[in-house]
Amino acid sequence: MKAIILEAFGGPDNLITRDVAEPKPEPSDVVVRVHAAGVCHHDVLHRAGKLPGAKTGVVLGHEIAGEVVALGSAVTSRAIGDRVVVYQRRFCGVCRSCLIGRQDMCRALSAPAIDTEGGYAELIAVPASMTIPFQAGIDWSSAALACCPIATSLRAVRSVGQIQPGDTVAITGASGGLGVHQIQIVRALGGVPIAITSSPDKATFLRELGATEVVVSPDLAFASEIWRLTGKRGVDLVIDNLGQTLAQSVRCVTTGGAVVVLGNLDQSVAPIQPGLLIARRVRVQGSGMAPIDEVRQALAMIAAGLINPVISAVLPFDRARDAHRLLDTRQTNGRVVMQGW
Ligand SMILES: [Zn+2]
Ligand SMILES: [Zn+2]
């Protein structure tokens, strides 16, 4: 089968298409024919050698939708032909976190792309428990985004952010792969999204996605504008997709509100005033990938038309280098997806 191997850390030209042996399923595995794979910022960081512990000689890609084409000898819960999304990490299934349905907190958790296997290939073998079936109404490219950008966003806004209908929600990095879906999720759950972006040319796109207001803030000092837009009340919730904006995000929140931190782009340290947290009773909480059940819910929201996966380009797999170049040069509004060879 064909697979795209990361031969060395560096630029996109290090992604090389090769013929490799087809994966053989363990007894509890299924083999999935990959129909679509999303290209994540995580893949770009891995390729560039900026992820601690990442290896070369591996196949990248953890945003996978495909079709079950072979079953391990012990698999009874999946059938040939099932359309599935592959969960983005391996998990043990028996630790305390897994047993309460929090596969995202599994201690044994590993990233497919940090190990050896990923979605930039014709086939992938994974435990059947890592596959999430979905109905025929969702196309492959849309399904590929269900786990990483969409379920992660659903978790941040709803489960961790605890949004209520009528809540005002500010979203930093709003034009990124997470932000474009958070805008839609906030609206679907009855909230009022305020998109924050550093680039003026994204404003129209963000309004078209459903942002009630767009704050263009090239220097990312947006708190005073949020304060003005909300009549000096502040927002109920901030979803911070950047991280370096955390101090500004905390200043945007109304009394009793929350900041959910999803991004850590430049790994900087944010100066936060404890007095502000106390006086305004602000909750600051980190969030990350969703557990499996929330991926199922994200697929249901896509099927219901409540979330439209935002895809800026679909390229064949053998143009993986071009896909990475699009992300490197930030020429994207939404995800780049690879589909077909
Ligand atoms: Zn991802
Ligand atoms: Zn576990």
Side-chain angles (χ1 to χ4, degrees):
M1 69 158 183
K2 283 185 277 194
I4 298 162
I5 311 290
L6 176 66
E7 293 277 346
F9 293 129
D13 288 344
N14 293 305
L15 296 166
I16 314 281
T17 303
R18 297 216 184 280
D19 271 313
V20 301
E22 292 192 2
K24 297 230 172 1
E26 297 290 325
S28 59
D29 283 355
V30 295
V31 177
V32 174
R33 177 169 299 284
V34 180
H35 282 285
V39 180
C40 186
H41 189 65
H42 183 95
D43 305 348
V44 171
L45 292 174
H46 186 148
R47 189 211 74 216
K50 293 178 181 169
L51 278 190
K55 298 172 192 151
T56 57
V58 302
V59 179
L60 300 178
H62 59 264
E63 302 182 357
I64 304 165
E67 180 185 356
V68 174
V69 292
L71 304 171
S73 56
V75 174
T76 55
S77 59
R78 296 287 177 269
I80 304 290
D82 279 358
R83 299 159 65 92
V84 295
V85 167
V86 176
Y87 192 60
Q88 70 194 86
R89 298 284 188 279
R90 282 179 179 259
F91 54 88
C92 75
V94 293
C95 72
R96 282 174 62 174
S97 297
C98 285
L99 289 174
I100 59 165
R102 288 296 306 273
Q103 296 85 4
D104 61 303
M105 299 198 304
C106 176
R107 297 285 300 269
L109 175 140
S110 72
I114 287 179
D115 296 332
T116 54
E117 52 188 351
Y120 295 10
E122 289 185 288
L123 300 168
I124 182 172
V126 294
S129 59
M130 269 177 77
T131 60
I132 304 144
F134 66 94
Q135 53 272 65
I138 305 175
D139 64 68
W140 295 115
S141 291
S142 295
L145 307 191
C147 189
C148 181
I150 297 178
T152 301
S153 293
L154 179 62
R155 176 161 194 79
V157 171
R158 188 192 52 169
S159 306
V160 180
Q162 297 172 19
I163 187 177
Q164 301 294 321
D167 279 358
T168 307
V169 182
I171 298 166
T172 72
S175 67
L178 293 169
V180 293
H181 297 108
Q182 290 157 1
I183 291 169
Q184 300 181 55
I185 290 164
V186 168
R187 281 197 88 94
L189 299 176
V192 180
I194 301 179
I196 302 169
T197 178
S198 57
S199 54
D201 43 334
K202 305 271 187 187
T204 306
F205 165 67
L206 291 169
R207 276 202 187 84
E208 284 167 2
L209 274 179
T212 305
E213 302 278 0
V214 177
V215 174
V216 177
S217 179
D219 60 356
L220 293 173
F222 48 78
S224 54
E225 179 63 6
I226 293 288
W227 215 241
R228 190 190 68 75
L229 280 173
T230 55
K232 299 189 176 173
R233 177 181 177 270
V235 293
D236 299 283
L237 176 64
V238 181
I239 306 294
D240 195 327
N241 295 304
L242 303 177
Q244 75 262 37
T245 44
L246 185 54
Q248 284 284 311
S249 295
V250 168
R251 288 183 54 206
C252 293
V253 177
T254 193
T255 304
V259 178
V260 175
V261 188
L262 270 179
N264 184 24
L265 286 197
D266 69 0
Q267 285 137 47
S268 59
V269 175
I272 296 175
Q273 298 163 265
L276 196 57
L277 300 183
I278 296 165
R280 293 205 200 137
R281 315 292 198 268
V282 173
R283 176 169 62 94
V284 179
Q285 189 169 343
S287 188
M289 69 172 151
I292 283 198
D293 194 50
E294 223 151 7
V295 180
R296 181 189 60 76
Q297 294 174 10
L299 283 161
M301 289 182 77
I302 296 168
L306 294 168
I307 304 170
N308 290 307
V310 182
I311 296 166
S312 69
V314 180
L315 298 176
F317 278 92
D318 57 9
R319 288 186 60 201
R321 296 172 176 185
D322 292 330
H324 272 240
R325 278 189 200 100
L326 286 173
L327 267 77
D328 278 352
T329 53
R330 296 183 178 276
Q331 293 172 40
T332 55
N333 281 335
R335 267 291 192 274
V336 176
V337 179
M338 296 190 291
Q339 193 173 341
W341 285 84

